[in-house]
Amino acid sequence: MTILITGATAGIGEACARIFAGQGHRLILTGRRADRLQKLKEELPVEVMTLQFDVREYQQLRDALASIPESWRDIDVLVNNAGLAVGKDPIQEGVLDDWERMIDTNVKGLLYITREVSPWLVARKKGHIVNIGSVAGKEVYPNGNVYCASKHAVNALSQGMRMDMLPYGIRVTHIAPGLVETEFSMVRFKGDQQKADDTYKNMEPLTGDDIANIVSFVVNLPAHVNINDISITPTAQANSVMVHRG
Ligand code: NDP
Ligand code: 8X3
């Protein structure tokens, strides 16, 4: 298969790249950090194409995708993974730039890439779009306001995509993880290691590999089987607000 993964330079996206490479699939990996993309390409034992762009920049994204040669456009799976949280403030103290980064990346970036790639799936009448949402897209938590809204949008868009793709036999899966220890919290807390560590303190979080295994599971099911939606939390997390720290 040919699999395009956005946000493959770290965390869940990188773990997906590694698991799919282990299965022998051909990969198109994207992200902003070119050095990391290059390193992954050198490490992985399969054909890899790397595309460096910011998902918030439509023209940049379009040019990057337009550079994909015809022979690589038979994309079977699009993993819409690139995303982030920035800040965790009450709405009345929210930082506009944080809000814009989340909405532009998690909602508009996901839309931009889907708009460019989905016509290729439609033309072939096959394919699978896997959207990485969050438990934050199902339940809101205090100070999560805009991040939660952006992930609720991913949840809604997944449902909409599934309807629109229905006549073409294209699967759409929404994956909603809880706490996963990646670079996510360092990004959210703008490099504050203590706050990032506190997020996972005295509990065992999920790993990028845990989520990549689920992505691999849904993608490798027979073509007539679609997992619509899947929520995964660490055993120590009941929902968006309840975490048991033992
Ligand atoms: P990481 O910070 O480890 O990885 C995020 C990835 O997204 C990086 O590869 C980064 O690449 C890419 N990315 C971020 N912004 C942009 C951008 N503007 N343009 C292109 N690529 C971008 O976090 P995770 O692996 O944890 O996050 C992956 C997804 O999982 C996100 O959508 C997140 O919301 C979701 N998620 C995470 C959870 C968690 O607890 N960690 C739980 C639930 C969902 P680069 O910086 O090189 O551009
Ligand atoms: C990431 C999980 O709980 O930090 O989507 O929102 S959480």
Side-chain angles (χ1 to χ4, degrees):
M1 288 197 287
T2 303
I3 301 178
L4 191 161
I5 304 167
T6 66
T9 58
I12 295 169
E14 181 181 342
C16 287
R18 291 186 188 282
I19 202 166
F20 285 130
Q23 295 166 7
H25 300 300
R26 185 163 81 149
L27 302 176
I28 304 174
L29 304 179
T30 86
R32 288 166 302 179
R33 286 171 287 184
D35 53 332
R36 292 209 185 183
L37 289 172
Q38 185 55 31
K39 193 162 169 283
L40 251 184
K41 182 183 168 123
E42 284 162 15
E43 265 179 52
L44 299 178
V46 290
E47 270 191 289
V48 174
M49 172 182 297
T50 61
L51 295 175
Q52 184 207 6
F53 60 85
D54 186 325
V55 294
R56 294 172 296 179
E57 302 293 336
Y58 182 55
Q59 199 53 52
Q60 220 183 80
L61 179 153
R62 244 188 120 174
D63 291 347
L65 290 174
S67 76
I68 299 178
E70 202 61 47
S71 59
W72 278 77
R73 290 191 184 187
D74 55 347
I75 292 170
D76 297 287
V77 180
L78 165 63
V79 183
N80 273 324
N81 164 76
L84 80 181
V86 197
K88 202 173 178 189
D89 302 305
I91 201 88
Q92 66 277 15
E93 291 168 20
V95 178
L96 259 62
D97 184 57
D98 294 352
W99 293 358
E100 274 154 15
R101 282 176 65 193
M102 289 187 275
I103 291 166
D104 289 352
T105 309
N106 301 351
V107 185
K108 290 168 71 180
L110 181 141
L111 279 171
Y112 292 162
I113 189 123
T114 303
R115 180 64 186 86
E116 296 306 305
V117 174
S118 58
W120 298 343
L121 308 186
V122 166
R124 294 176 67 224
K125 291 196 167 56
K126 64 187 278 214
H128 196 156
I129 300 175
V130 179
N131 292 328
I132 306 298
S134 169
V135 290
K138 301 200 170 230
E139 292 169 307
V140 180
Y141 54 83
N143 303 329
N145 42 63
V146 176
Y147 179 68
C148 296
S150 75
K151 289 298 181 176
H152 272 67
V154 174
N155 189 355
L157 288 169
S158 302
Q159 294 172 44
M161 284 181 203
R162 195 173 306 115
M163 293 171 187
D164 298 345
M165 299 283 118
L166 187 63
Y168 308 102
I170 294 162
R171 299 188 285 182
V172 178
T173 300
H174 174 244
I175 296 191
L179 293 168
V180 188
E181 190 164 14
T182 59
E183 294 177 8
F184 179 86
S185 291
M186 279 295 274
V187 171
R188 173 170 235 172
F189 297 116
K190 303 173 184 173
D192 186 328
Q193 184 75 58
Q194 189 58 53
K195 281 190 178 168
D197 290 348
D198 285 350
T199 308
Y200 314 109
K201 200 171 168 186
N202 296 329
M203 57 87 64
E204 185 175 353
L206 298 168
T207 64
D209 286 342
D210 292 327
I211 305 306
N213 274 314
I214 306 280
V215 175
S216 163
F217 168 71
V218 301
V219 161
N220 283 301
L221 286 167
H224 70 286
V225 180
N226 185 40
I227 302 281
N228 291 335
D229 195 291
I230 187 161
S231 296
I232 319 118
T233 60
T235 306
Q237 180 178 17
N239 55 33
S240 265
V241 288
M242 287 183 70
V243 178
H244 179 70
R245 298 182 193 274

